[in-house]
Amino acid sequence: MSAALAYYPGCSQTASAREYDLSTRACCQTLGVELNDVPDWTCCGSTPAHATDHALAAALAARNLAQAMDTGASNLATPCPSCLLALRTAQSRCENEGFKGRVEVLLGRPATLSIRTRSILQVLMEDLGLEALAEKAVRPLKGLRVASYYGCLMTRPVGLMAFEDPDNPTAMDRLFLALGAEAAPFALKTECCGAALGVPRKEAVLELSGRILAAAEESGANVLAVACPLCQMNLDLRREQIEGYTGQRSTLPVLYFTQLLGLALGLPEEALGLGLHNVGTRPVLDILRRTWASEDVG
Amino acid sequence: MSVVDGKEPSVKELRIIGFLCNWCSYGGADTAGVSRFSQPTDLRIIRVPCSGRVTPLFVVKALMSGADGVLVSGCHPRDCHYSEGNLYARRRLEVLKRFLPTLGIEPERFEYIWVSASEGERWQTSVTAFTERIHALGPSPAVKVNRYDARLVAGGL
Amino acid sequence: MRIGVFVCHCGTNIAGTVDCAAVAAAAQQFPEVVLAVDTPYACSEPGQRAIIEAIEQKGLNGVVVASCTPRMHEATFRRTVERAGLNRYMFEMANIREHVSWVGRDKKLNTFKATDLVRIAVEKLRYNRPLTAKSFAVNKRVLVIGAGVAGIQAALDCADGGLETIVVERTSTVGGKMAKLDKTFPTVDCSVCVLGPKMVDLAQHRKIKLYAMSEIADLSGYVGNFEVSIRRKATYVDWNKCTGCGLCADKCPSRKAPDHFNELVGRTTAISIPFPQAIPKKASIDASSCLHFLKDRCGVCAKVCPVEAIDFEQQDEVVKESVGAVVVATGFDLLDIRRFGQYGGGRFPDVVTSLQYERMLSASGPTGGHLKCPSDGREPKSVVFISCVGSRDRSMDRAICSGFCCMYTAKQAILTKSHVPDCETHVFYMDIRAPGKGYDEFIRRAQEEYRTNYVRGRVSSVYPKNGRLAVRGADTLLGTQTEVMADLVVLAVGAGAAEGSRDLAEKLRISYDAYGFFMESHPKLKPVETNTAGVFLAGACQGPKDIPASVAMGSAAAGKVMALFSKERLESDPQVAQVNAVRCVGCLKCLRTCPFGAIQEVQARDGSTKAQVIESVCQGCGVCTVTCTDRAIELQHFTDNQLLAEVNYLCRSWMEKSPA
Amino acid sequence: MPVMELSASQDRAFFEAVCAKSGQDLLRCYQCGNCTAGCPMQPYYDLAAHQVMRLVQTGQRKAALTCSSLWLCAGCGQCSARCPNQLDVALILETLRHMARRAGYNPQPRVAQFSRAFLKSVHSHGRVFELGLLLRYKLASGRLLDDADLAPRLLKVGKLHLTPTSTPGQAEVAAIFRRYEQGAGS
Ligand SMILES: Cc1cc2nc3c(=O)[nH]c(=O)nc-3n(C[C@H](O)[C@H](O)[C@H](O)COP(=O)(O)OP(=O)(O)OC[C@H]3O[C@@H](n4cnc5c(N)ncnc54)[C@H](O)[C@@H]3O)c2cc1C
Ligand SMILES: Cc1cc2nc3c(=O)[nH]c(=O)nc-3n(C[C@H](O)[C@H](O)[C@H](O)COP(=O)(O)OP(=O)(O)OC[C@H]3O[C@@H](n4cnc5c(N)ncnc54)[C@H](O)[C@@H]3O)c2cc1C
Ligand code: SF4
Ligand code: SF4
Ligand code: SF4
Ligand code: SF4
Ligand code: SF4
Ligand code: SF4
Ligand code: SF4
Ligand code: SF4
């Protein structure tokens, strides 16, 4: 793996999802995937922009695509599915010349958006592949039973994202299996957690996220893996709120898939931001340490 | 004077001839009719037993004599009523298509398609697309006369 | 020539968007036209009488009717002109309904177009020549392909009518889907009890020859004289010897073979007889599960068989039969349940297809008629039925209604209660289609008497929850989401064409629709005929239909065959190719191209080679005509001159200069 | 519910406008309810997704545009993925939301306030400044105590910046907003 990737972190990754950014960068470095930050990147507009006006949303996203293309990159990756959706929606809508014209007026410059956009998960699965990833893993994730939660936007809209079976995606499950963990039969892989409505309509998010946590617990998982900063925020940061609302206690740690991958790659906890969670990640580390001690690795 | 009320039709038609096999495409055009799938009116259908009956000469003759477009439609490749007539047709008409430019005919004025008897919708879209294509090309350079008047004369009106 | 033109209004069907009187007026001016009139309904009795009278009074010797598609009424009008003493080929039709009035919106343009179509019909007619049909002998044997209830009915009716009947069935037993059903709507009587006697009749009828485990390898010939090759698949059991005692299956150590008869619910032995009432009741070996074939050991069946029927060396065999007509009755298959990921199809063992459920309900099925969840064998206390799975669903490219699932779902809900009285039953549905006699009453019984909870709305997903299945749907009547806990979920999976239908259609030279169902000749008036003379359809192979309709269609097809065979000789279509021996140079290109082998090489009196068409074999495709560079072989009624006359007119009509 | 006077209230132009703007042929909807069945936000809706589709079909402009569901939709796309008629239900709802905003209907002020606060934050800083966004939203909505429990947790692990990060791209983003507000590109 050598081809350089334009990297679009997205706003959350500089703040509430810092550990996603940290672990992504750390994993990619170890795996030899070179990430070049999109120069001067700005917000993709996210749901609020899209919900307000399509041209405005597309212009905010397009600016970043243009910035990336100015560097000559032909591939872009972002860890955040919501950012990816915003970028792809802009690309797809701009295939309509009339719409593209409107976007260019807002943008104040031509919008060439032909760069290939993917999620970090997709890049790792497609460009490296399971075998190569497993080969680079120095410490097995044995003992972990992972419920992989993909959230709603990783596979939907089906036509636009074109990633995995929208009812039963398996990319993360296959990854963790390859890294030595067990994949828990988790039923709500692509159910929505309430996304950005967490602030204005909290009760909805608490109910939905509560249901996801309950299903993960029922699957016998000892860790819940996510690939989206919003999902993580709702399931981890709002844990006490969920408990207060639903009355169920849960100590299930919620980790980004890149954090688990990083552990398998032998990266230190701090490099992966494992201390930045609201719900303690210690149980995961304890299980792994036991495994590694018995297998004499790590 | 026109056949209806002395005025010219509202839309200028171009002259398009369709050769349709009796079993599939003619039936497909019937199905489109039964389903009331509206279509441009330019195309005139000549019924043939099989697309394999269509001599390339017919197509050339039509285009040289001023037809603006010719469409041949037969059964799908493995669904020929005569087992393989449409395969012969395809081979011959492919050759013909490549040969048209040497006769000074734009090859886009000729097309060969497959429509089965159940595919009324496909017939509708095919006719519409082909007619639009011919309109985009404009009248055939082979004839330069006032088409409507000429037809009325020929029709004895 | 003296040509008469009749322009039909078809009520307002044509006259609504075509000025028929103007078309007739224009036609009056066409060359050799002596009479042109418009008529309200050309095909009606007065309409036909007017044509006959005109022929007689005006001395017409050619007729053009401008009306509907010739695929509808060409035969009608040919008979009409024949009654007035004309040769039936001195007639042409202009299709101004399907190709004009029903598809064009602009009345002026339609009228122009109709006029043109009448004109080209006249142009062609001017080159028509009287043709006379030759007659040939009919082979009064019939082939029935597929032995579900429709095929069985067709075969029994034909055989009772005295015809030699050949039945070819792909599986090792006749009976089709009906043999797998537990009970049938709307009477809820035992399916095999009704079907069984018919299956036995089929086996014992002295006029019927049954080939089970067989398929059509090839069909050639034409109506009245088909040649069919039948591939008999190896069963590794000599069926002439096998008595169906079942000893072999009892002793066979390989007990994990897929049980196709039971829709893969449960397993069977490598050598087996599909079910107790199977016809023929003969054992066959599934080579993919048999230890002899897999590991070259065992051979237990051969040792225990009292009549030494086991033959591991058996090979597929091709036999030939000659018949005069074919009835296709190959039925349907359900879609693959794995396509329904949102319902966990293929992933969750307790999500089953409707047909699997029939087997689970059946006393002769894999569970002995006890309802059990496949996952752990517990008795279900809540069964959820989901309708329209893979039907009426454009996102799956399947816009069709499968026709019978509403009814069998109600039946299965009723049967569920009679198996487990305290079991809850829920049906998620969009609409209920129950138009048959006693059908809607049946649905009401399922709801009122059997307390089935019908929820109007589709199901979005099925997922495991607390060891059961949660079914999340909508109740659109309430405008809410509805979640039901189920032990068993039954999918009313849509019906598709039987596997291999497209291949079979190509062998038989019949058409199929977008879903693979065979095309009837006319949706209303020729529902059992196909466009290939002598090939008829029966049952669900033409489109999903229930048992009464399948049986009716089986009888209808048999009736059609008998009507066809009621004549000693059939008339051949004279629209065949003909060689002009003077022009023919004997290159034999035509012989090599003819798809039907209808051209033979003959020696002319001067010793030169000539081509000659075997009229009874020629199908009239005209492929040879195009091949012949010497224009020596011509397809009658579609000659170069006739087609060119049409082309020429269409071109000439706008080559001519306007008067000023 | 009062009688729906179809001949009086059916607004065909509204129906056509929704179809045109969303690029979806709403006549395809046969009210199967699959969009509703899978919708995670359905419990919070005043009208189920399929009912909104029906209102559009019958040209009930006001009822469709004043409904809260438009604002509560999380945009998860489940409805669109499930629709057997391949209607992009989420896009139709979004189209209606745009129309409702233009018509001045705002039955869920908090959602709109959050959206505005979010975009304001992007406008001012080029990127989302989470603390500023929350404060702005709280002031606008008057919900001062919402999520007050989260901030200390975020701050403790350095996930909430106290000052916005400045990016040079901000100027260009602000220009996009300026042009948008001036009505360019519409
Ligand atoms: C779950 C379920 C329950 C039902 N319950 C009822 C009910 O209660 N009442 C009712 O009226 N209807 C019911 N039906 C419908 C009923 O099954 C059909 O109406 C009936 O089976 C149609 O009969 P058929 O002979 O046309 O087709 P099939 O029963 O499908 O028979 C076709 C036969 O042709 C054979 N075949 C297929 N292809 C070939 C080939 N290429 N060569 C040779 N042979 C071939 C097959 O092996 C089969 O034996 C039910 C259907 C289902 C799915
Ligand atoms: C409004 C309407 C619209 C329809 N549209 C369609 C459609 O678009 N497509 C479609 O497929 N079907 C349609 N149908 C159904 C269609 O009419 C029937 O399927 C069809 O008419 C049935 O034909 P039949 O010969 O069985 O009965 P009928 O058409 O009723 O013919 C029975 C004949 O028997 C005669 N008769 C009755 N009693 C006696 C007696 N004791 N002695 C002697 N003669 C007797 C009657 O006078 C009549 O001529 C429609 C029906 C209705 C009511
Ligand atoms: S001949 Fe054809 S067009 Fe005329 S009335 Fe009969 S059905 Fe209608
Ligand atoms: S093969 Fe032999 S043992 Fe088996 S059923 Fe036939 S006769 Fe009986
Ligand atoms: S040889 Fe095969 S079929 Fe016979 S008993 Fe052994 S496993 Fe069964
Ligand atoms: S018969 Fe009923 S369940 Fe089957 S497809 Fe039609 S409407 Fe759906
Ligand atoms: S192709 Fe023509 S010339 Fe040659 S053998 Fe046939 S009929 Fe005669
Ligand atoms: S028309 Fe010619 S090619 Fe066709 S079947 Fe007859 S002889 Fe053969
Ligand atoms: S996109 Fe909106 S309406 Fe559709 S399922 Fe998701 S939340 Fe519900
Ligand atoms: S899923 Fe589609 S067809 Fe069904 S109610 Fe919703 S929009 Fe209508």
Side-chain angles (χ1 to χ4, degrees), chain C residues 579-580 583-591 599 609-611 624 627-633:
Chain C
V579 178
N580 178 342
R583 285 185 150 222
C584 175
V585 299
C587 67
L588 299 183
K589 267 190 282 186
C590 55
L591 185 148
I599 298 176
T609 300
K610 299 283 172 191
C624 54
T627 312
C628 179
T629 34
D630 296 274
R631 294 186 70 183
I633 188 164

Side-chain angles (χ1 to χ4, degrees), chain B residues 3 18 28 46 64 72 77 83 111 151 157:
Chain B
V3 275
I46 295 179
M64 299 279 281
V72 176
S83 25
E111 194 55 84
R151 287 173 55 214
L157 294 165

Side-chain angles (χ1 to χ4, degrees), chain C residues 394-410:
Chain C
R394 291 198 226 208
S395 68
M396 298 198 67
D397 268 335
R398 291 191 48 87
I400 57 166
C401 165
S402 291
F404 43 53
C405 11
C406 278
M407 286 302 295
Y408 72 58
T409 296

Side-chain angles (χ1 to χ4, degrees), chain A residues 152-167:
Chain A
C152 45
L153 295 183
M154 188 88 88
T155 56
R156 288 194 303 252
V158 181
L160 201 57
M161 300 311 260
F163 179 66
E164 299 259 301
D165 176 348
D167 294 309

Side-chain angles (χ1 to χ4, degrees), chain A residues 14 19 52 54 106 167 200, chain D residues 82 94 101 110 159 179:
Chain A
T14 64
E19 66 272 40
T52 302
H54 287 157
L106 291 180
D167 294 309
Chain D
R82 281 289 180 268
E94 196 173 83
R101 194 168 48 76
R110 278 194 272 148
K159 285 183 169 184
R179 290 187 202 105

Side-chain angles (χ1 to χ4, degrees), chain D residues 7 20 44-46 55 58 63 77 113 115 132-133 147 179 181 183:
Chain D
S7 2
Y44 309 95
Y45 282 0
D46 52 351
L55 283 175
T58 49
Q113 281 150 0
S115 265
L133 157 61
D147 282 342
R179 290 187 202 105
E181 277 152 17

